[in-house]
Amino acid sequence: MCMGKSGPNTPKDKVVLITGTTGTGKSRLSVDLAKHFSGEIINSDKMQVYSGIEIATNLIPLNEQGGVPHHLLGDFRPEDGELTPREFRSLATLSIAEVVSKGKLPIIVGGSNSFNHALLAERFDPTIDPFAPSSSLSTICPDLRYNCCIFWVDVSEQVLFQHLRNRVDKMIESGLFEQLAAFYDPIVDLGPRLGVRKTIGVEEFDRYFRMYPREKNTGVWDLGRKNTYEEAVKAMKERTCLLVKKQKEKIIKLIRGGWEIKRLDATAAIMAELNKSSEVLGEGLSSMDIWQKDIVEESVETVKSFLLEG
């Protein structure tokens, strides 16, 4: 799982990267590994660097962070503008140096592969998008700045799409609608969407809030308002599933470009969560048990070997 060779004099710092599409459990695994290996987590999700709409960005809540220090998570305000890959490279490099200086393991987690590539590629050109349809594999630099152990947490699309549709419903139940209503700015939303305003949910509810602004968002909902609301929720689910396909394409491009990435299959754990039991799998294990067996134990053994390497 090592990427790149150490220089003749100074060995490269070791880091772990956890990537994957939205909703596969990357943040959960990062906390599991950080606890096991005394690590600190560096967020590389381009939406989760912002504060303000934590439900929409699926920012890991404090009670699930397990006391593990997190860097670049909710540190920026929406009005700060859009954080570019080049800026992320600089900020995350400083975070890695800080974690390493404490003698701890830096664990990078996030599905924004433009950020992951910008941070890790030895030769990074901010003027080139390596994931653009017109870009060739030669734009994916196989030589990395760090000695890396990279995991891809994957889930079969059919299972993941159902999980994500359920997750949108849970986000609504948790107060997403109210959070977006407070965040909505009709002046800003008439212009280009930058930074956190690209988050799924903001655009989808734009039409609703333009038709039914907060001052009119009281009283009985008529059929038109209900339909507009349901259209926004449906659009969120569709765009989330489309995002999965785009994220997976980028991971595959990294692999084809020379990145060594270990795939972890979390399908059974997510399926058990959907079914509330894994009896259909004939294992009699809970989702948590399957996650521990299929994902945590395998990744822990891989990281152990990685850290023992010279």
Side-chain angles (χ1 to χ4, degrees):
M1 293 311 301
C2 296
M3 290 294 305
K5 296 181 180 179
S6 300
N9 300 314
T10 306
K12 294 182 178 181
D13 290 327
K14 292 187 175 184
V15 304
V16 171
L17 168 66
I18 303 172
T19 188
T21 68
T22 184
T24 56
K26 301 181 299 296
S27 295
R28 179 181 178 183
L29 178 59
S30 70
V31 172
D32 290 333
L33 292 180
K35 287 182 175 181
H36 195 96
F37 293 102
S38 186
E40 295 191 9
I41 295 169
I42 300 164
N43 167 57
S44 66
D45 184 298
K46 64 176 62 176
M47 295 298 106
Q48 292 183 2
V49 298
Y50 298 99
S51 61
I53 48 173
E54 290 81 4
I55 298 175
T57 60
N58 289 294
L59 192 146
I60 182 171
L62 188 62
N63 67 310
E64 294 180 14
Q65 293 179 19
V68 177
H70 282 64
H71 303 258
L72 303 179
L73 186 70
D75 288 352
F76 296 86
R77 301 169 302 174
E79 56 268 30
D80 290 335
E82 182 162 349
L83 186 69
T84 67
R86 182 177 188 173
E87 291 168 334
F88 174 77
R89 177 181 171 101
S90 297
L91 292 170
T93 297
L94 293 175
S95 294
I96 290 174
E98 177 186 340
V99 175
V100 170
S101 71
K102 301 177 189 175
K104 295 192 174 185
L105 177 66
I107 300 175
I108 306 154
V109 58
S112 298
N113 291 291
S114 58
F115 274 16
N116 292 333
H117 178 269
L119 173 61
L120 299 183
E122 186 74 68
R123 298 183 300 279
F124 169 66
D125 185 344
T127 67
I128 297 176
D129 178 3
F131 301 107
S134 58
S135 296
S136 66
L137 288 178
S138 63
T139 62
I140 302 291
C141 176
D143 299 319
L144 303 189
R145 304 166 67 210
Y146 301 96
N147 193 352
C148 300
C149 177
I150 305 177
F151 294 107
W152 167 17
V153 186
D154 193 22
V155 176
S156 69
E157 287 190 357
Q158 182 178 3
V159 173
L160 182 58
F161 288 169
Q162 183 57 54
H163 170 65
L164 291 172
R165 286 189 286 267
N166 290 354
R167 189 175 74 169
V168 170
D169 292 334
K170 291 178 181 178
M171 290 163 65
I172 296 291
E173 293 172 3
S174 298
L176 173 67
F177 175 74
E178 292 77 11
Q179 195 173 82
L180 290 175
F183 179 74
Y184 179 71
D185 184 334
I187 298 177
V188 173
D189 288 344
L190 289 175
R193 295 192 181 281
L194 299 172
V196 74
R197 294 185 180 277
K198 293 180 179 179
T199 300
I200 295 176
V202 175
E203 180 176 347
E204 287 70 23
F205 272 93
D206 174 74
R207 179 168 176 263
Y208 175 89
F209 290 123
R210 278 189 284 113
M211 295 179 65
Y212 304 100
R214 275 183 290 175
E215 59 270 20
K216 296 181 181 180
N217 211 10
T218 59
V220 178
W221 284 34
D222 58 25
L223 183 59
R225 176 181 292 187
K226 181 179 179 182
N227 288 342
T228 304
Y229 173 89
E230 291 178 349
E231 286 171 5
V233 174
K234 179 182 178 182
M236 275 190 68
K237 294 178 180 181
E238 292 175 347
R239 186 176 162 203
T240 302
C241 293
L242 181 61
L243 174 63
V244 167
K245 293 181 179 294
K246 291 181 177 179
Q247 289 176 320
K248 186 171 290 189
E249 288 172 359
K250 291 180 179 180
I251 295 171
I252 291 172
K253 191 166 187 178
L254 288 174
I255 294 172
R256 290 176 177 170
W259 287 34
E260 184 182 349
I261 300 177
K262 180 177 177 60
R263 178 178 177 272
L264 300 169
D265 189 350
T267 301
I270 298 297
M271 186 183 299
E273 183 177 325
L274 289 172
N275 295 327
K276 302 303 179 186
S277 75
S278 60
E279 293 177 358
V280 293
L281 303 176
E283 296 185 38
L285 299 175
S286 68
S287 173
M288 186 177 297
D289 291 334
I290 297 172
W291 175 266
Q292 184 69 28
K293 173 177 171 290
D294 291 355
I295 307 301
V296 178
E297 291 180 7
E298 183 172 351
S299 58
V300 163
E301 290 304 311
T302 300
V303 175
K304 279 182 181 178
S305 300
F306 166 69
L307 295 178
L308 289 173
E309 294 173 359

